[in-house]
Amino acid sequence: MPDDFYAQAAAIAHKLGAKFFLDTSGTPLATAIEHGVDMIKPNLREMRDLAGRSLSSETDWIAAARGYIESGKVGTVALSLGHLGAMLITRDRALRALPPPIKPISTVGAGDSFFGAIVYSLAKGDALTDAFRLGVAAGSAALIQEGTGLCLPADAYRLTSQVTVTPF
């Protein structure tokens, strides 16, 4: 597909008054951001690539995310950090989530489960912090599955109470 596919999709979504949440990387991500995206979900490597610099600290991660948010091009950044958990950055707050203590079996589907659970939770009308907590639990739940599937909802909800979310 063309590099501007997601940018075209974002434009259509906004024209229809719909939210546009995006999980991609590289040129397609950068191009879509130029047209406005409500939420992006980069991992740390993707965020570094997007920013064009090393982003070696949490403060750097937040500053890079806020640069896109303050430009009006991105509403929220859900930054996945692998075994370090995740951050959720908006214009006026940054949240850090530590994952529950689990023994990972496979990393396949963790990022998709993380982001999918956030989108699902927000679509249900949950608060952003609650959606973020469920997202981290879902990403963790995917890690305890063998194979290439996404998380099991029952596992995600079971792990939710074990996710620590704190303001940064």
Side-chain angles (χ1 to χ4, degrees):
M1 77 182 83
D3 284 341
D4 70 342
F5 174 82
Y6 294 117
Q8 293 176 42
I12 292 168
H14 289 299
K15 185 175 183 180
L16 296 172
K19 300 273 186 192
F20 191 77
F21 293 35
L22 183 60
D23 178 8
T24 191
S25 61
T27 302
L29 175 60
T31 304
I33 286 174
E34 290 302 313
H35 290 82
V37 177
D38 293 288
M39 184 182 290
I40 60 172
K41 193 235 46 95
N43 62 34
L44 188 52
R45 179 190 49 78
E46 292 164 345
M47 191 67 179
R48 286 175 174 146
D49 290 347
L50 182 64
R53 54 188 194 275
S54 67
L55 305 178
S56 58
S57 70
E58 292 170 324
T59 303
D60 290 343
W61 307 340
I62 293 168
R66 287 232 169 99
Y68 292 104
I69 293 166
E70 290 169 3
S71 75
K73 296 176 182 178
V74 174
T76 302
V77 176
L79 181 62
S80 61
L81 303 168
H83 71 282
L84 299 174
M87 291 192 87
L88 187 81
I89 301 120
T90 67
R91 182 176 304 280
D92 58 353
R93 63 183 167 160
L95 301 173
R96 178 69 190 265
L98 299 177
I102 57 158
K103 183 173 178 154
I105 296 172
S106 171
T107 61
V108 175
D112 293 332
S113 293
F114 166 68
F115 199 47
I118 291 173
V119 173
Y120 166 76
S121 188
L122 290 173
K124 286 189 344 177
D126 292 341
L128 189 59
T129 300
D130 295 332
F132 180 49
R133 180 177 282 110
L134 179 61
V136 173
S140 299
L143 296 172
I144 61 176
Q145 300 299 317
E146 290 185 4
T148 60
L150 300 177
C151 73
L152 297 177
D155 289 334
Y157 283 109
R158 178 177 53 81
L159 293 172
T160 299
S161 65
Q162 298 176 46
V163 176
T164 303
V165 177
T166 56
F168 185 84

